[in-house]
Amino acid sequence: GEDVEQSLFLSVREGDSSVINCTYTDSSSTYLYWYKQEPGAGLQLLTYIFSNMDMKQDQRLTVLLNKKDKHLSLRIADTQTGDSAIYFCAEFTGRRALTFGSGTRLQVQP
Amino acid sequence: GAGVSQTPSNKVTEKGKYVELRCDPISGHTALYWYRQSLGQGPEFLIYFQGTGAADDSGLPNDRFFAVRPEGSVSTLKIQRTERGDSAVYLCASSRTGGPGDTEAFFGQGTRLTVV
């Protein structure tokens, strides 16, 4: 079955790195995604990684994928107050739709 | 249009009433998805359209929920005999093809449905 899990909350200080973790269960996942949701706003795609990769870097964002452990992480370097939001991990499987985790609320303290 | 547009942005309805939620996808996108997001949860898949046909409706919770996309662009999610448990944000997303190489689905701002 499909199940994506994330921790609920993360608090960091401005300028520190944030690491948000996610585990998934469906080994047939082809793509794994990170979305950002700010209050009152829609879901914004941050980055994605194909399942045959183990790392992807995009400016301040680094995605690590451990396919053996079905573990995905998002590292945000030099976290800013504007990064405060809810971050969702999602997997895309053969059903052609996304399965989302319940989200990690990132709070950035000035 | 420039992005995925959903109307209305907010809908309050009485228990037992019928509601329709509309989604205008990005022009030319053949794949369209409906998700439901309850408070404190991630979006949950409801239904996926490829063109005019529902390719996967396995996420619809029961037969009170129905969706159409008659001309392969605008879609309407219809909920009959609404219940308080239907209260949630209903999100629509579209993507260019929905195929294996199509990596990005664009989401609308959602319709917040409140059943009182």
Side-chain angles (χ1 to χ4, degrees), chain B residues 55-99:
Chain B
D56 184 348
D57 64 358
S58 61
L60 295 176
N62 52 59
D63 61 7
R64 295 187 297 106
F65 288 74
F66 190 69
V68 296
R69 195 185 184 201
E71 294 173 4
S73 55
V74 170
S75 175
T76 306
L77 178 66
K78 308 177 184 213
I79 311 174
Q80 298 178 316
R81 304 183 303 279
T82 50
E83 299 177 357
R84 293 199 178 88
D86 298 335
S87 296
V89 175
Y90 288 81
L91 295 167
C92 177
S94 72
S95 65
R96 201 166 46 83
T97 65

Side-chain angles (χ1 to χ4, degrees), chain B residues 16-74:
Chain B
K17 298 285 191 189
Y18 167 82
V19 295
E20 290 190 352
L21 311 179
R22 178 186 164 109
C23 172
D24 249 294
I26 292 172
S27 178
H29 280 194
T30 60
L32 184 146
Y33 307 83
W34 283 100
Y35 291 85
R36 176 168 74 172
Q37 186 174 20
S38 301
L39 195 61
Q41 300 295 315
E44 238 183 326
F45 169 75
L46 295 177
I47 186 169
Y48 157 54
F49 285 91
Q50 184 56 252
T52 59
D56 184 348
D57 64 358
S58 61
L60 295 176
N62 52 59
D63 61 7
R64 295 187 297 106
F65 288 74
F66 190 69
V68 296
R69 195 185 184 201
E71 294 173 4
S73 55
V74 170

Side-chain angles (χ1 to χ4, degrees), chain A residues 8 30-31 33 35 37 40-45 48 88 92 95-103, chain B residues 33 35 37 40-43 45 48 56 58-59 91 98-105 107-109:
Chain A
L8 289 180
T30 52
Y31 291 92
Y33 296 82
Y35 279 84
Q37 188 174 46
L43 283 162
Q44 176 197 349
L45 176 66
Y48 66 91
F88 291 95
F92 183 88
R95 79 182 306 187
R96 306 285 176 87
L98 295 169
T99 301
F100 287 85
S102 53
Chain B
Y33 307 83
Y35 291 85
Q37 186 174 20
Q41 300 295 315
F45 169 75
Y48 157 54
D56 184 348
S58 61
L91 295 167
D102 186 8
T103 54
E104 184 166 6
F107 282 81
Q109 303 278 65

